[in-house]
Amino acid sequence: MSDRKSLLVPAEVENLRRRSAADSSENYVDPEQHRRFPQRQPHTDRLCVGPHHPELGTVATPSPEAAAPHFCHYSPKGFLAVHRGHGTSARSTPPSQYAEEGWHEATTKTTIRAENEVEAHREANNYKFGFRKWKGSVTERPIEERSSRELYTDLSVAKPLKGSVVTFGNIIYVFLFGWWISLFYFLLCALMFLTVVGAPYGKLCCKMACYFLWPFEKTIEKAGGKVKRSTVILPKCEVIIKEGDTEDSRDLTSDKDTKPLLVSSPVSLDIPVPQPPTKTTSKHWCRVSTYVWLLLGYPVLAVVHSLACVISWMLIFTIPVAKMNARTLTTVLLMAPEDVTIRKRSKTTEYEYRVTLCCYQACNVYYCKYTVHGINIFALNLLPLVLITLIIGYTDHDHYYFSAETKFATAITSIIPLSYYIGMGIASISAQSNFAVGAVVNATFGSFTEMTFYITALLQGYQTSNKCYEEIVKSALTGTLLGCILFIPGICMIIGGIKHREQRFNSRSAGVSSALLFISIGGVFAPTLFSKTFGNLVCESCTSIPSNVSVPLVCKDCHYDTIGTDAHTILLHIEPLVYTISVLLPAAYLIGLIFTLKTHSHIYDVHISDGHGGHAHGGHHVVLWSRWRALAVLIVATVLMACCADLSTENIGPILTHSSVSQCFIGVTVLAMVPEIPEIVTGIQFALQNNISLSLEVGSCIAVQVCMIQIPLLILFNAFYDVGFVLVFSDIHLWASIFSVILVNYIFMDGKCDYFQGTALVVIYLILLALYFFAPSPQSC
């Protein structure tokens, strides 16, 4: 055995060294880390074969035989691969080497990051036609694997200092919070000393005042309660038997056949630290000073810290200040004053240890990504606004305390978080269910935000006999189309193009969406063109002088009118046309579903299976919302959405009658785009990840659903409950929508975009908004 070891060639020694290093690093578990964080299964992701998305990068291309079926299976590499195969070459070619004409004919395989099975299913749903695109993760990621894990750091662990704590955010803390919190502590310090028996708490207030004025280099610890943890890492070493070794050394190695041949991995040793002596139970709850403190000092500080906690939490970027105040209120101020020790953190300390409170930063711009149980901090902070809206809306009917404009503003703003919760519920249910359930949930709840407002507005107009509400609904429909066709793709191209210079997308899938948009716009505005062709030209006032033929005929307020002049024409021609279109549009949408999900699924479809017809296993994950919880959230958010939509339409009347701008402008901007804010953010996130295909699909999906699902549903609702809704739009709605679709189709032709093309779309959108802003109000308003 020793002879065989000594004759190892250098290559074999290197292989053995690598194998030993891998085995030792794979089997080693830090006891302290195992105690703090439970052991988890290794992360696995999906390899899914489906459509091609050039902007995501390419990997090795499978053979044509392997590329024919479309499947998805799990792989420990952690990627969701999306593939479209119709070519013959099996070589891997980077996107930059493709000719512009042959980009979509080549066989490529791209990869998308997916952390587990549920997330891979959610990503797959994003590439399915008819599904609204949702960015939010539906499974919980461990803190140690989050890219922004520093946002979730525990304030009870003191870590080594890295850099200076004199930062802009910490200086801002002193001006926003530090000085007045310290002032209250100094005042209470004097009060406690005046009571004599509360002198120990006076000393505590003095120390806490100095701490809160600048807390970033200090730690609050319990006296005698600090337990240090240190780790020593031995240097790398390896044992190689050379030819010149003596027989004694060879015999020595032969006696150690059971020992590892090579030792090359770092070895961590936990240096035992003697446990502190057991302390007797503190008797500060039996002292008179404690109850003097709870009566005079703690209530005041409870108000102070609660106020600071609420303000810093609502500011979002100062969430560490909220955590620091909350821990102080619930832990530090309830400790015995002699147990509270404040120490200055040494920059030379290289180990971590547990303390009562430690904070190194007061502000971080990345806290906009902060989530609580999967809910974004913005949506969480806006949730109380929904309750306030319902309380003031349904209790103050006569506007004694709040004006109608204030109620409308709160109601329309409350729609933003409710739209987010509806989207999270849809994504959670779809990611944990099969395609049929996901499609039903998307179709049922996906358009509910807009439908609730449209129906409540039409009912409000019918009850008050005011046709202005119908015009507002038509303006909101047009504004949603313009925003989804122009603004959402444009702003995503600008932000994504600034970061990634030029982005590519699947022009084939974009072509399908463009074709459906043409069908949608043609169907929706066909009754309008019909009324323009066969309607009557009505003028409100005409002036002429019969004796003077040189004076021209002057007419004002001329328009085509089929409603007020000839109701028989509407009943005989317009209504049958509208009903026919309301049947053809959903049929076209259904054909699009069959085309993209069945017969031509290779365009941008992703199927989910493990390659053997079953579900993929592996990948540790914790679902944030179960199916029943997501369903409950959907139902509650839907009810609240209906209430907020009812309050917004009920209180929009004064704005319509006393507004100095056109009512069409209010419908095109506020009523149309506010509910779409969560989806605008989703599209921007996709663009920043260089996934511009999904950014473009966000807007296209909404626009297609508005025309092919929401408008037919409004016509169906009007058929059963006649509220006077006629699918005839004004000229500005007609030509703005047609021009927008033509422009977007031209830009989507080449399959690539940059920030200049996005700027063109946004500028055109702003020009159209200017037209609406300066346009006169509709005659019915």
Side-chain angles (χ1 to χ4, degrees):
M1 176 65 74
S2 61
D3 293 338
R4 185 156 55 93
K5 288 181 181 179
S6 62
L7 295 178
L8 288 175
V9 295
E12 294 175 344
V13 172
E14 180 66 13
N15 290 335
L16 286 174
R17 186 186 67 80
R18 292 177 180 175
R19 191 180 310 155
S20 176
D23 293 341
S24 61
S25 62
E26 182 177 349
N27 297 327
Y28 171 74
V29 177
D30 184 4
E32 179 67 14
Q33 184 178 3
H34 180 75
R35 182 182 65 83
R36 291 180 60 188
F37 303 103
Q39 185 177 1
R40 299 180 298 101
Q41 299 293 331
H43 285 278
T44 56
D45 293 339
R46 295 175 180 275
L47 277 175
C48 300
V49 179
H52 165 59
H53 294 279
E55 70 278 3
L56 300 177
T58 60
V59 295
T61 303
S63 61
E65 293 79 5
H70 299 277
F71 63 91
C72 171
H73 67 278
Y74 238 67
S75 168
K77 295 297 182 183
F79 291 98
L80 172 68
V82 183
H83 175 252
R84 177 173 68 89
H86 288 286
T88 58
S89 173
R91 295 179 298 175
S92 175
T93 309
S96 59
Q97 296 182 10
Y98 283 107
E100 185 172 330
E101 296 77 15
W103 175 266
H104 297 291
E105 283 72 16
T107 301
T108 60
K109 183 172 70 174
T110 58
T111 57
I112 300 175
R113 178 75 183 179
E115 296 147 358
N116 50 62
E117 180 180 0
V118 177
E119 289 298 327
H121 198 175
R122 181 186 61 83
E123 290 282 357
N125 288 339
N126 279 339
Y127 289 93
K128 290 179 181 177
F129 176 79
F131 277 71
R132 290 209 174 190
K133 320 304 176 187
W134 300 105
K135 174 64 175 63
S137 177
V138 297
T139 58
E140 183 178 3
R141 297 183 62 188
I143 293 178
E144 64 271 14
E145 295 186 1
R146 298 181 184 181
S147 59
S148 56
R149 56 182 176 270
E150 68 276 2
L151 305 182
Y152 303 89
T153 53
D154 189 0
L155 296 185
S156 62
V157 176
K159 297 182 178 181
L161 285 174
K162 297 180 180 179
S164 176
V165 294
V166 182
T167 60
F168 178 76
N170 292 349
I171 296 174
I172 290 296
Y173 159 83
V174 177
F175 291 98
L176 291 181
F177 303 99
W179 69 271
W180 59 272
I181 296 178
S182 298
L183 178 61
F184 275 99
Y185 270 105
F186 278 122
L187 295 177
L188 286 177
C189 173
L191 179 62
M192 288 297 104
F193 277 112
L194 288 177
T195 61
V196 180
V197 294
Y201 285 97
K203 296 178 181 179
L204 174 63
C205 289
C206 184
K207 294 189 294 183
M208 294 299 293
C210 298
Y211 174 81
F212 272 97
L213 189 61
W214 185 262
F216 307 109
E217 289 181 315
K218 306 167 188 175
T219 60
I220 299 179
E221 306 166 15
K222 188 174 182 180
K226 181 175 68 174
V227 179
K228 299 179 180 180
R229 181 174 65 87
S230 179
T231 303
V232 179
I233 301 178
L234 298 180
K236 295 183 179 180
C237 60
E238 58 183 21
V239 179
I240 301 177
I241 307 299
K242 298 182 180 179
E243 296 180 358
D245 291 343
T246 61
E247 292 295 331
D248 295 336
S249 63
R250 294 182 182 180
D251 295 337
L252 183 62
T253 57
S254 64
D255 294 335
K256 301 179 180 179
D257 291 340
T258 60
K259 303 290 184 178
L261 176 61
L262 303 175
V263 179
S264 60
S265 62
V267 179
S268 298
L269 298 177
D270 282 346
I271 299 177
V273 178
Q275 294 294 332
T278 304
K279 295 186 60 179
T280 59
T281 304
S282 178
K283 297 182 180 181
H284 76 284
W285 292 108
C286 301
R287 303 171 186 168
V288 178
S289 60
T290 301
Y291 294 97
V292 172
W293 166 253
L294 293 178
L295 182 63
L296 299 179
Y298 187 80
V300 177
L301 292 178
V303 175
V304 171
H305 285 294
S306 298
L307 180 62
C309 188
V310 171
I311 294 175
S312 56
W313 185 270
M314 296 304 295
L315 292 177
I316 294 175
F317 302 109
T318 55
I319 287 180
V321 180
K323 294 181 177 180
M324 182 172 59
N325 282 273
R327 182 174 289 273
T328 301
L329 184 61
T330 57
T331 304
V332 177
L333 297 182
L334 296 177
M335 295 168 56
E338 64 272 10
D339 289 343
V340 179
T341 303
I342 299 178
R343 290 190 176 94
K344 187 174 182 180
R345 176 72 168 163
S346 176
K347 295 184 178 180
T348 59
T349 306
E350 298 295 337
Y351 53 82
E352 298 179 4
Y353 59 91
R354 188 164 292 277
V355 296
T356 303
L357 180 60
C358 179
C359 183
Y360 293 146
Q361 65 171 358
C363 181
N364 193 329
V365 295
Y366 294 104
Y367 268 99
C368 59
K369 302 179 181 179
Y370 193 81
T371 59
V372 180
H373 297 292
I375 304 173
N376 186 268
I377 185 63
F378 287 97
L380 188 65
N381 285 352
L382 286 176
L383 189 58
L385 182 63
V386 179
L387 302 179
I388 295 174
T389 298
L390 298 179
I391 293 174
I392 67 175
Y394 287 109
T395 57
D396 186 21
H397 292 284
D398 297 327
H399 311 300
Y400 284 135
Y401 303 102
F402 299 94
S403 63
E405 292 81 358
T406 302
K407 295 180 182 179
F408 172 77
T410 56
I412 202 69
T413 308
S414 299
I415 293 178
I416 299 175
L418 293 176
S419 300
Y420 175 86
Y421 286 107
I422 290 177
M424 283 292 296
I426 292 174
S428 298
I429 295 178
S430 301
Q432 302 175 69
S433 308
N434 55 28
F435 170 74
V437 175
V440 170
V441 172
N442 268 271
T444 305
F445 294 95
S447 301
F448 192 84
T449 302
E450 297 86 354
M451 290 299 298
T452 50
F453 174 77
Y454 299 152
I455 292 177
T456 53
L458 291 176
L459 290 174
Q460 183 73 16
Y462 177 75
Q463 294 171 359
T464 59
S465 300
N466 188 351
K467 298 296 293 183
C468 187
Y469 285 90
E470 181 184 353
E471 293 298 327
I472 289 295
V473 170
K474 294 177 182 178
S475 299
L477 287 170
T478 307
T480 304
L481 291 178
L482 297 179
C484 295
I485 295 174
L486 295 176
F487 181 74
I488 294 181
I491 196 67
C492 292
M493 287 181 183
I494 293 175
I495 297 178
I498 292 175
K499 181 177 181 180
H500 300 287
R501 190 178 178 85
E502 182 179 85
Q503 294 180 296
R504 293 178 177 267
F505 56 89
N506 191 350
S507 61
R508 183 72 186 277
S509 63
V512 174
S513 300
S514 298
L516 287 173
L517 282 176
F518 270 112
I519 297 174
S520 303
I521 297 300
V524 168
F525 290 99
T528 304
L529 294 174
F530 182 87
S531 67
K532 300 300 179 187
T533 304
F534 300 100
N536 297 322
L537 181 63
V538 178
C539 297
E540 296 297 333
S541 60
C542 296
T543 59
S544 63
I545 302 176
S547 61
N548 191 355
V549 295
S550 61
V551 177
L553 180 67
V554 178
C555 295
K556 298 180 180 180
D557 297 331
C558 296
H559 61 278
Y560 283 93
D561 189 9
T562 60
I563 299 177
T565 57
D566 192 0
H568 178 71
T569 304
I570 299 176
L571 184 64
L572 188 63
H573 300 286
I574 301 294
E575 284 191 358
L577 176 62
V578 170
Y579 292 146
T580 303
I581 290 173
S582 64
V583 174
L584 292 177
L585 288 179
Y589 186 78
L590 181 62
I591 294 173
L593 288 175
I594 297 174
F595 178 81
T596 55
L597 298 176
K598 187 67 176 176
T599 61
H600 290 69
S601 59
H602 60 274
I603 295 178
Y604 58 135
D605 182 32
V606 179
H607 298 277
I608 301 178
S609 67
D610 59 358
H612 303 284
H615 294 286
H617 298 282
H620 178 80
H621 61 269
V622 177
V623 180
L624 293 170
W625 293 359
S626 64
R627 293 184 184 91
W628 291 108
R629 181 182 178 184
L631 182 60
V633 171
L634 273 180
I635 295 175
V636 173
T638 299
V639 174
L640 295 178
M641 178 72 73
C643 295
C644 291
D646 177 64
L647 290 174
S648 62
T649 55
E650 181 180 347
N651 294 281
I652 198 176
I655 298 177
L656 298 180
T657 55
H658 300 95
S659 177
S660 58
V661 299
S662 174
Q663 287 80 359
C664 291
F665 179 79
I666 298 175
V668 169
T669 54
V670 178
L671 304 180
M673 296 307 296
V674 168
E676 310 301 338
I677 288 179
E679 289 163 339
I680 295 174
V681 176
T682 298
I684 292 174
Q685 290 176 334
F686 284 133
L688 289 175
Q689 295 178 352
N690 202 19
N691 194 353
I692 195 65
S693 287
L694 289 184
S695 297
L696 302 182
E697 290 293 335
V698 167
S700 299
C701 179
I702 300 173
V704 170
Q705 286 189 356
V706 167
C707 294
M708 295 189 169
I709 295 180
Q710 295 179 14
I711 290 181
L713 286 178
L714 288 177
I715 296 172
L716 181 64
F717 174 77
N718 186 76
F720 286 95
Y721 191 88
D722 190 5
V723 291
F725 179 72
V726 180
L727 197 65
V728 177
F729 294 82
S730 63
D731 289 349
I732 188 172
H733 299 327
L734 170 66
W735 301 117
S737 301
I738 293 177
F739 176 74
S740 300
V741 173
I742 295 175
L743 177 63
V744 168
N745 185 68
Y746 173 76
I747 290 181
F748 286 177
M749 287 168 109
D750 56 354
K752 55 187 178 181
C753 62
D754 47 44
Y755 72 89
F756 177 75
Q757 293 177 332
T759 303
L761 293 180
V762 173
V763 169
I764 293 298
Y765 177 74
L766 296 178
I767 291 174
L768 294 178
L769 290 188
L771 292 179
Y772 281 101
F773 181 82
F774 294 105
S777 300
Q779 292 183 350
S780 56
C781 294

